[in-house]
Amino acid sequence: MKPLVSQQEITKLIPQRHPILLVDQLLSYTKEEAVSGFHISPDHIFVNKNGFLTESGLIENIAQTTAMHQGYEYYLKGVPAPEGYIGSIRKLQILELPPVNADLKTHITITGEILGVTIINGQVFYNDKEIAHGEMRLVQVKTDL
C-alpha cells in the first residue's frame, strides 16, 4: 500500500519531532478513520533494554495516529498542524510488546467529538495480529481554523 503521506512529510501533520516520533506513514484516511505505519528502530527512545517497544510507546503511537488524522485536514489546507494532548485513556489492553525492526499498523476510529475533545478507539497490529487496543480522549489546542 502506497502511503498518503511519507516519513518526510509527517512533521507537517503532527507537532511531535525526533526522538519521540512514533508514526512514519499515513496509510489511509477518511473523515472517521486513519491507519498509520511505524517501523520500530533499535535506537528508538521508547525501546526497552530487552529490545521491545514499551507500553508508553504503544500509547503514544495511538495518540500520534490520531494527531496525524486531525493534522491531515490542516495539511491539505496548507496550514500548520494543531497541538493537543491525551486527556484520558480507557479500556486499554496491551496484549504483546512488539520487537525492534517490527512494522506496526495502527488503526483509529473517531467515535465522537465535542468541545475540542476527540474520542477514539485505537488498535495496534503487528504481523496482522492485534497487540493493543483502547479508547482515548484527546484534547486539541484551539486554532483559528
Side-chain angles (χ1 to χ4, degrees):
M1 174 185 298
K2 183 180 177 188
L4 296 173
V5 178
S6 68
Q7 184 174 10
Q8 293 77 20
E9 298 171 303
I10 291 298
T11 57
K12 295 176 183 175
L13 304 183
I14 63 175
Q16 291 83 0
R17 300 290 181 259
H18 179 78
I20 62 165
L21 276 175
L22 284 149
V23 292
D24 52 26
Q25 296 179 332
L26 177 60
L27 299 172
S28 70
Y29 168 88
T30 69
K31 185 175 178 172
E32 297 84 20
E33 299 180 332
V35 177
S36 71
F38 178 62
H39 179 80
I40 305 168
S41 64
D43 61 344
H44 196 279
I45 193 169
F46 283 106
V47 169
N48 66 25
K49 65 181 178 182
N50 298 319
F52 293 90
L53 187 67
T54 63
E55 293 87 347
S56 298
L58 287 170
I59 292 167
E60 186 63 21
N61 170 261
I62 295 169
Q64 287 184 25
T65 299
T66 305
M68 188 166 34
H69 176 272
Q70 294 172 329
Y72 191 62
E73 184 177 339
Y74 289 82
Y75 171 78
L76 293 173
K77 293 177 181 179
V79 296
E83 292 186 17
Y85 57 90
I86 298 171
S88 69
I89 301 169
R90 296 184 59 211
K91 302 177 187 174
L92 178 69
Q93 288 192 320
I94 296 177
L95 309 168
E96 181 180 326
L97 295 178
V100 297
N101 295 315
D103 291 309
L104 303 182
K105 284 190 180 173
T106 302
H107 180 264
I108 62 105
T109 303
I110 307 295
T111 59
E113 292 182 281
I114 186 165
L115 301 172
V117 176
T118 302
I119 304 163
I120 64 100
N121 283 321
Q123 298 171 282
V124 183
F125 296 89
Y126 165 56
N127 284 341
D128 296 321
K129 177 183 173 188
E130 184 182 65
I131 61 169
H133 62 265
E135 179 183 290
M136 286 187 187
R137 286 172 171 74
L138 295 111
V139 181
Q140 190 178 82
V141 176
K142 290 191 178 226
T143 63
D144 292 332
L145 281 185

